[in-house]
């Protein structure tokens, strides 16, 4: 598809593979640049900001975002990064979606901001390169 593409887009929700964001390899995202010269878009990134299993916490969500900022900052081809969902979903709503996916928001279901929201705002206030 390369000659006909303006950009390539990816979704990355690595919490199913890595228990902590610091375990995400340095080349986790940059390997993409080995396969394309096009602009790169991350149309969905995310990490749960809580879970009943206590594996994921609001702190681990903030650590993930900090790690992604670090990785993306080293990639000149990246043109867009978006978070999966601003708000957590209603945990009581019937759905086939897992609890961890419902808790990807930067603001919880009671409209309380999570720590990662401040970092997300900081990142969006950085000057464009």
């Amino acid at each position: 598809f390369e000659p006909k593409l303006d950009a390539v887009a990816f979704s990355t929700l690595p919490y199913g593979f890595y228990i902590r964001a610091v375990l995400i390899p340095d080349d986790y995202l940059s390997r993409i640049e080995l396969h394309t010269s096009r602009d790169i878009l991350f149309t969905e990134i995310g990490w749960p900001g809580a879970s009943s299993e206590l594996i994921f916490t609001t702190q681990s969500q903030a650590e993930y975002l900090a790690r992604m900022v670090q990785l993306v900052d080293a990639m000149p081809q990246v043109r867009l990064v978006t978070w999966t969902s601003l708000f957590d979903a209603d945990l009581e709503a019937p759905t086939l979606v897992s609890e961890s996916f419902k808790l990807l928001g930067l603001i919880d279901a009671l409209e309380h901001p999570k720590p990662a929201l401040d970092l997300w705002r900081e990142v969006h206030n950085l000057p464009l390169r």
Side-chain angles (χ1 to χ4, degrees), residues 2-116:
E2 184 76 20
K4 297 179 181 182
L5 298 176
D6 293 326
V8 291
F10 296 89
S11 171
T12 180
L13 304 162
Y15 61 88
F17 300 99
Y18 302 101
I19 220 160
R20 295 192 52 222
V22 299
L23 299 175
I24 297 171
D26 289 341
D27 68 345
Y28 175 70
L29 301 176
S30 64
R31 287 180 276 174
I32 296 167
E33 294 177 318
L34 300 174
H35 303 284
T36 185
S37 61
R38 303 292 187 225
D39 289 345
I40 297 170
L41 316 174
F42 291 106
T43 57
E44 179 183 47
I45 69 167
W47 192 275
S51 74
S52 59
E53 304 93 26
L54 300 177
I55 296 169
F56 305 112
T57 64
T58 58
Q59 182 59 37
S60 69
Q61 183 183 55
E63 290 169 2
Y64 166 75
L65 179 53
R67 180 71 172 136
M68 293 305 283
V69 168
Q70 178 186 38
L71 297 178
V72 166
D73 193 47
M75 298 176 65
Q77 289 172 242
V78 174
R79 296 290 177 260
L80 174 77
V81 178
T82 62
W83 193 263
T84 300
S85 177
L86 184 59
F87 291 93
D88 282 347
D90 179 356
L91 289 177
E92 303 303 318
T95 181
L96 297 177
V97 175
S98 69
E99 179 193 70
S100 58
F101 193 81
K102 289 181 178 184
L103 297 168
L104 290 171
L106 298 174
I107 299 171
D108 70 22
L110 298 174
E111 300 187 16
H112 300 118
K114 297 179 188 177

